[in-house]
Short mmCIF file of all heavy atoms in Angstrom, two decimals:
data_model
loop_
_atom_site.label_atom_id
_atom_site.label_comp_id
_atom_site.label_asym_id
_atom_site.label_seq_id
_atom_site.Cartn_x
_atom_site.Cartn_y
_atom_site.Cartn_z
N ILE O 144 110.37 81.05 133.10
CA ILE O 144 110.45 79.59 133.06
C ILE O 144 110.69 79.03 134.46
O ILE O 144 110.08 78.04 134.88
CB ILE O 144 111.57 79.14 132.10
CG1 ILE O 144 111.21 79.53 130.66
CG2 ILE O 144 111.82 77.65 132.21
CD1 ILE O 144 109.93 78.89 130.18
N LEU O 145 111.59 79.68 135.23
CA LEU O 145 111.87 79.21 136.59
C LEU O 145 110.63 79.28 137.47
O LEU O 145 110.37 78.40 138.29
CB LEU O 145 113.02 80.02 137.19
CG LEU O 145 114.40 79.77 136.56
CD1 LEU O 145 115.42 80.74 137.12
CD2 LEU O 145 114.85 78.34 136.82
N LEU O 146 109.84 80.37 137.30
CA LEU O 146 108.60 80.49 138.07
C LEU O 146 107.63 79.38 137.71
O LEU O 146 106.94 78.82 138.56
CB LEU O 146 107.97 81.86 137.81
CG LEU O 146 108.61 83.05 138.54
CD1 LEU O 146 108.02 84.36 138.05
CD2 LEU O 146 108.40 82.92 140.05
N LEU O 147 107.55 79.06 136.41
CA LEU O 147 106.67 77.98 135.98
C LEU O 147 107.08 76.66 136.62
O LEU O 147 106.26 75.87 137.10
CB LEU O 147 106.70 77.85 134.45
CG LEU O 147 105.87 78.85 133.66
CD1 LEU O 147 106.05 78.62 132.17
CD2 LEU O 147 104.39 78.70 134.02
N ILE O 148 108.39 76.39 136.61
CA ILE O 148 108.89 75.13 137.18
C ILE O 148 108.59 75.07 138.67
O ILE O 148 108.16 74.05 139.21
CB ILE O 148 110.39 74.99 136.91
CG1 ILE O 148 110.63 74.82 135.40
CG2 ILE O 148 110.99 73.82 137.67
CD1 ILE O 148 112.08 74.90 134.99
N LEU O 149 108.83 76.19 139.39
CA LEU O 149 108.56 76.23 140.82
C LEU O 149 107.08 76.00 141.11
O LEU O 149 106.71 75.27 142.03
CB LEU O 149 109.02 77.59 141.39
CG LEU O 149 108.94 77.73 142.92
CD1 LEU O 149 109.80 76.67 143.61
CD2 LEU O 149 109.39 79.13 143.33
N SER O 150 106.20 76.62 140.30
CA SER O 150 104.76 76.44 140.47
C SER O 150 104.37 74.98 140.27
O SER O 150 103.57 74.41 141.01
CB SER O 150 104.00 77.32 139.48
OG SER O 150 104.31 78.67 139.69
N ALA O 151 104.96 74.37 139.25
CA ALA O 151 104.66 72.97 138.98
C ALA O 151 105.11 72.09 140.14
O ALA O 151 104.43 71.14 140.55
CB ALA O 151 105.35 72.54 137.68
N PHE O 152 106.28 72.41 140.71
CA PHE O 152 106.83 71.65 141.83
C PHE O 152 105.89 71.69 143.04
O PHE O 152 105.57 70.67 143.66
CB PHE O 152 108.21 72.21 142.19
CG PHE O 152 108.87 71.49 143.34
CD1 PHE O 152 109.50 70.26 143.13
CD2 PHE O 152 108.88 72.04 144.61
CE1 PHE O 152 110.11 69.61 144.18
CE2 PHE O 152 109.49 71.39 145.65
CZ PHE O 152 110.11 70.15 145.45
N ILE O 153 105.41 72.92 143.35
CA ILE O 153 104.50 73.08 144.50
C ILE O 153 103.20 72.33 144.26
O ILE O 153 102.67 71.64 145.13
CB ILE O 153 104.23 74.58 144.76
CG1 ILE O 153 105.54 75.26 145.21
CG2 ILE O 153 103.14 74.77 145.79
CD1 ILE O 153 105.44 76.78 145.24
N THR O 154 102.68 72.44 143.04
CA THR O 154 101.42 71.76 142.70
C THR O 154 101.56 70.25 142.82
O THR O 154 100.69 69.56 143.35
CB THR O 154 101.00 72.12 141.27
OG1 THR O 154 100.90 73.54 141.17
CG2 THR O 154 99.67 71.48 140.90
N LEU O 155 102.68 69.73 142.35
CA LEU O 155 102.90 68.29 142.40
C LEU O 155 103.04 67.80 143.85
O LEU O 155 102.54 66.73 144.21
CB LEU O 155 104.16 67.94 141.60
CG LEU O 155 104.03 68.13 140.07
CD1 LEU O 155 105.38 67.99 139.41
CD2 LEU O 155 103.05 67.12 139.51
N CYS O 156 103.74 68.60 144.66
CA CYS O 156 103.86 68.22 146.08
C CYS O 156 102.50 68.16 146.75
O CYS O 156 102.18 67.24 147.50
CB CYS O 156 104.77 69.21 146.81
SG CYS O 156 106.51 69.08 146.33
N PHE O 157 101.68 69.16 146.49
CA PHE O 157 100.33 69.18 147.06
C PHE O 157 99.52 67.98 146.56
O PHE O 157 98.81 67.32 147.32
CB PHE O 157 99.63 70.49 146.69
CG PHE O 157 98.20 70.55 147.17
CD1 PHE O 157 97.91 70.83 148.50
CD2 PHE O 157 97.15 70.29 146.30
CE1 PHE O 157 96.61 70.88 148.95
CE2 PHE O 157 95.85 70.33 146.75
CZ PHE O 157 95.57 70.62 148.07
N GLY O 158 99.67 67.68 145.27
CA GLY O 158 98.94 66.54 144.71
C GLY O 158 99.37 65.24 145.34
O GLY O 158 98.55 64.36 145.63
N ALA O 159 100.68 65.11 145.57
CA ALA O 159 101.19 63.88 146.19
C ALA O 159 100.62 63.72 147.61
O ALA O 159 100.22 62.64 148.03
CB ALA O 159 102.71 63.90 146.22
N PHE O 160 100.59 64.82 148.36
CA PHE O 160 100.04 64.79 149.72
C PHE O 160 98.56 64.41 149.69
O PHE O 160 98.08 63.60 150.48
CB PHE O 160 100.24 66.15 150.37
CG PHE O 160 99.48 66.30 151.67
CD1 PHE O 160 99.96 65.72 152.85
CD2 PHE O 160 98.29 67.01 151.70
CE1 PHE O 160 99.24 65.85 154.02
CE2 PHE O 160 97.58 67.13 152.88
CZ PHE O 160 98.07 66.56 154.04
N PHE O 161 97.86 64.99 148.71
CA PHE O 161 96.41 64.78 148.63
C PHE O 161 96.07 63.31 148.37
O PHE O 161 95.10 62.78 148.89
CB PHE O 161 95.84 65.67 147.53
CG PHE O 161 94.34 65.56 147.39
CD1 PHE O 161 93.50 66.24 148.25
CD2 PHE O 161 93.78 64.77 146.39
CE1 PHE O 161 92.13 66.15 148.11
CE2 PHE O 161 92.42 64.66 146.26
CZ PHE O 161 91.59 65.35 147.12
N PHE O 162 96.89 62.66 147.57
CA PHE O 162 96.56 61.29 147.17
C PHE O 162 97.28 60.21 147.99
O PHE O 162 97.28 59.04 147.61
CB PHE O 162 96.87 61.09 145.68
CG PHE O 162 95.86 61.73 144.80
CD1 PHE O 162 96.16 62.91 144.11
CD2 PHE O 162 94.59 61.17 144.64
CE1 PHE O 162 95.23 63.50 143.29
CE2 PHE O 162 93.66 61.76 143.82
CZ PHE O 162 93.97 62.93 143.15
N LEU O 163 97.93 60.61 149.11
CA LEU O 163 98.55 59.57 149.95
C LEU O 163 97.48 58.60 150.45
O LEU O 163 96.45 59.03 151.01
CB LEU O 163 99.26 60.22 151.14
CG LEU O 163 100.63 60.82 150.84
CD1 LEU O 163 101.16 61.54 152.07
CD2 LEU O 163 101.61 59.73 150.42
N PRO O 164 97.68 57.31 150.31
CA PRO O 164 96.62 56.34 150.65
C PRO O 164 96.29 56.26 152.13
O PRO O 164 95.20 55.90 152.51
CB PRO O 164 97.18 55.00 150.14
CG PRO O 164 98.67 55.21 150.08
CD PRO O 164 98.87 56.64 149.75
N ASP O 165 97.24 56.61 153.03
CA ASP O 165 97.00 56.44 154.46
C ASP O 165 96.46 57.69 155.13
O ASP O 165 96.27 57.72 156.33
CB ASP O 165 98.30 56.01 155.15
CG ASP O 165 98.75 54.64 154.67
OD1 ASP O 165 97.85 53.82 154.37
OD2 ASP O 165 99.97 54.42 154.58
N SER O 166 96.27 58.71 154.41
CA SER O 166 95.81 59.95 155.04
C SER O 166 94.35 59.84 155.42
O SER O 166 93.57 59.16 154.77
CB SER O 166 96.02 61.13 154.08
OG SER O 166 95.13 61.02 153.01
N SER O 167 94.00 60.54 156.48
CA SER O 167 92.60 60.52 156.92
C SER O 167 91.70 61.14 155.89
O SER O 167 90.56 60.75 155.73
CB SER O 167 92.48 61.27 158.25
OG SER O 167 92.92 62.61 158.08
N LYS O 168 92.26 62.13 155.13
CA LYS O 168 91.46 62.79 154.10
C LYS O 168 91.06 61.78 153.04
O LYS O 168 89.93 61.73 152.59
CB LYS O 168 92.27 63.93 153.47
CG LYS O 168 91.53 64.69 152.39
CD LYS O 168 92.39 65.81 151.86
CE LYS O 168 91.70 66.55 150.74
NZ LYS O 168 90.51 67.23 151.11
N HIS O 169 92.04 60.92 152.67
CA HIS O 169 91.75 59.95 151.64
C HIS O 169 90.78 58.88 152.13
O HIS O 169 89.97 58.37 151.37
CB HIS O 169 93.05 59.32 151.15
CG HIS O 169 92.89 58.66 149.83
ND1 HIS O 169 92.84 59.35 148.65
CD2 HIS O 169 92.75 57.34 149.51
CE1 HIS O 169 92.70 58.52 147.64
NE2 HIS O 169 92.63 57.29 148.15
N LYS O 170 90.86 58.54 153.44
CA LYS O 170 89.90 57.57 153.99
C LYS O 170 88.48 58.10 153.92
O LYS O 170 87.55 57.38 153.61
CB LYS O 170 90.26 57.24 155.44
CG LYS O 170 91.52 56.38 155.56
CD LYS O 170 91.88 56.12 157.00
CE LYS O 170 93.15 55.28 157.12
NZ LYS O 170 93.58 55.09 158.51
N ARG O 171 88.34 59.38 154.19
CA ARG O 171 87.01 59.98 154.08
C ARG O 171 86.53 59.92 152.64
O ARG O 171 85.37 59.70 152.35
CB ARG O 171 87.03 61.42 154.58
CG ARG O 171 87.16 61.55 156.08
CD ARG O 171 86.82 62.95 156.54
NE ARG O 171 87.70 63.95 155.96
CZ ARG O 171 88.85 64.32 156.51
NH1 ARG O 171 89.27 63.72 157.62
NH2 ARG O 171 89.59 65.24 155.94
N PHE O 172 87.49 60.10 151.70
CA PHE O 172 87.14 60.04 150.28
C PHE O 172 86.63 58.64 149.93
O PHE O 172 85.62 58.48 149.25
CB PHE O 172 88.39 60.39 149.45
CG PHE O 172 88.20 60.20 147.97
CD1 PHE O 172 87.44 61.10 147.25
CD2 PHE O 172 88.79 59.13 147.32
CE1 PHE O 172 87.28 60.93 145.89
CE2 PHE O 172 88.63 58.97 145.97
CZ PHE O 172 87.87 59.87 145.24
N ASP O 173 87.31 57.58 150.48
CA ASP O 173 86.87 56.21 150.21
C ASP O 173 85.48 55.96 150.78
O ASP O 173 84.64 55.34 150.15
CB ASP O 173 87.85 55.20 150.85
CG ASP O 173 89.15 55.10 150.05
OD1 ASP O 173 89.13 55.55 148.89
OD2 ASP O 173 90.15 54.61 150.60
N LEU O 174 85.26 56.42 152.03
CA LEU O 174 83.97 56.21 152.67
C LEU O 174 82.87 56.87 151.86
O LEU O 174 81.80 56.31 151.67
CB LEU O 174 84.00 56.78 154.10
CG LEU O 174 82.74 56.58 154.92
CD1 LEU O 174 82.47 55.09 155.11
CD2 LEU O 174 82.86 57.28 156.26
N GLY O 175 83.17 58.06 151.36
CA GLY O 175 82.18 58.75 150.55
C GLY O 175 81.83 57.96 149.31
O GLY O 175 80.69 57.87 148.91
N LEU O 176 82.84 57.33 148.69
CA LEU O 176 82.56 56.56 147.48
C LEU O 176 81.67 55.36 147.79
O LEU O 176 80.77 55.02 147.03
CB LEU O 176 83.88 56.05 146.87
CG LEU O 176 84.69 57.07 146.06
CD1 LEU O 176 86.01 56.44 145.64
CD2 LEU O 176 83.91 57.53 144.85
N GLU O 177 81.92 54.73 148.97
CA GLU O 177 81.16 53.54 149.31
C GLU O 177 79.71 53.87 149.61
O GLU O 177 78.83 53.03 149.46
CB GLU O 177 81.80 52.85 150.52
CG GLU O 177 83.18 52.26 150.20
CD GLU O 177 83.93 51.88 151.45
OE1 GLU O 177 83.34 51.98 152.54
OE2 GLU O 177 85.11 51.50 151.35
N ASP O 178 79.46 55.05 150.09
CA ASP O 178 78.11 55.38 150.55
C ASP O 178 77.29 56.15 149.53
O ASP O 178 76.21 56.63 149.84
CB ASP O 178 78.20 56.22 151.84
CG ASP O 178 78.75 55.37 152.97
OD1 ASP O 178 78.69 54.13 152.84
OD2 ASP O 178 79.28 55.96 153.94
N VAL O 179 77.80 56.32 148.32
CA VAL O 179 77.04 57.06 147.31
C VAL O 179 75.83 56.25 146.91
O VAL O 179 75.93 55.06 146.63
CB VAL O 179 77.92 57.35 146.08
CG1 VAL O 179 77.07 57.89 144.94
CG2 VAL O 179 78.99 58.36 146.44
N LEU O 180 74.66 56.89 146.88
CA LEU O 180 73.43 56.23 146.45
C LEU O 180 73.18 56.56 145.00
O LEU O 180 73.23 57.71 144.59
CB LEU O 180 72.25 56.72 147.30
CG LEU O 180 72.31 56.41 148.79
CD1 LEU O 180 71.08 56.99 149.48
CD2 LEU O 180 72.38 54.93 149.04
N ILE O 181 72.89 55.55 144.17
CA ILE O 181 72.54 55.79 142.78
C ILE O 181 71.21 55.13 142.49
O ILE O 181 70.86 54.13 143.12
CB ILE O 181 73.61 55.22 141.83
CG1 ILE O 181 73.78 53.71 142.06
CG2 ILE O 181 74.94 55.92 142.02
CD1 ILE O 181 74.74 53.07 141.07
N PRO O 182 70.41 55.66 141.60
CA PRO O 182 69.10 55.07 141.31
C PRO O 182 69.24 53.67 140.76
O PRO O 182 70.17 53.37 140.01
CB PRO O 182 68.52 56.02 140.26
CG PRO O 182 69.32 57.27 140.36
CD PRO O 182 70.67 56.86 140.82
N HIS O 183 68.29 52.80 141.16
CA HIS O 183 68.26 51.43 140.65
C HIS O 183 67.23 51.37 139.54
O HIS O 183 66.08 51.70 139.73
CB HIS O 183 67.89 50.46 141.78
CG HIS O 183 67.58 49.09 141.26
ND1 HIS O 183 68.46 48.36 140.49
CD2 HIS O 183 66.47 48.32 141.43
CE1 HIS O 183 67.91 47.19 140.19
NE2 HIS O 183 66.70 47.14 140.75
#
Side-chain angles (χ1 to χ4, degrees):
I144 294 300
L145 291 173
L146 283 172
L147 281 178
I148 293 170
L149 186 59
S150 300
F152 180 79
I153 294 170
T154 304
L155 291 170
C156 290
F157 176 78
F160 169 78
F161 182 80
F162 285 106
L163 281 175
D165 296 327
S166 70
S167 59
K168 180 179 178 64
H169 198 76
K170 288 178 181 176
R171 287 195 299 272
F172 173 74
D173 285 343
L174 183 62
L176 281 175
E177 293 167 6
D178 293 340
V179 170
L180 297 179
I181 58 175
H183 168 56

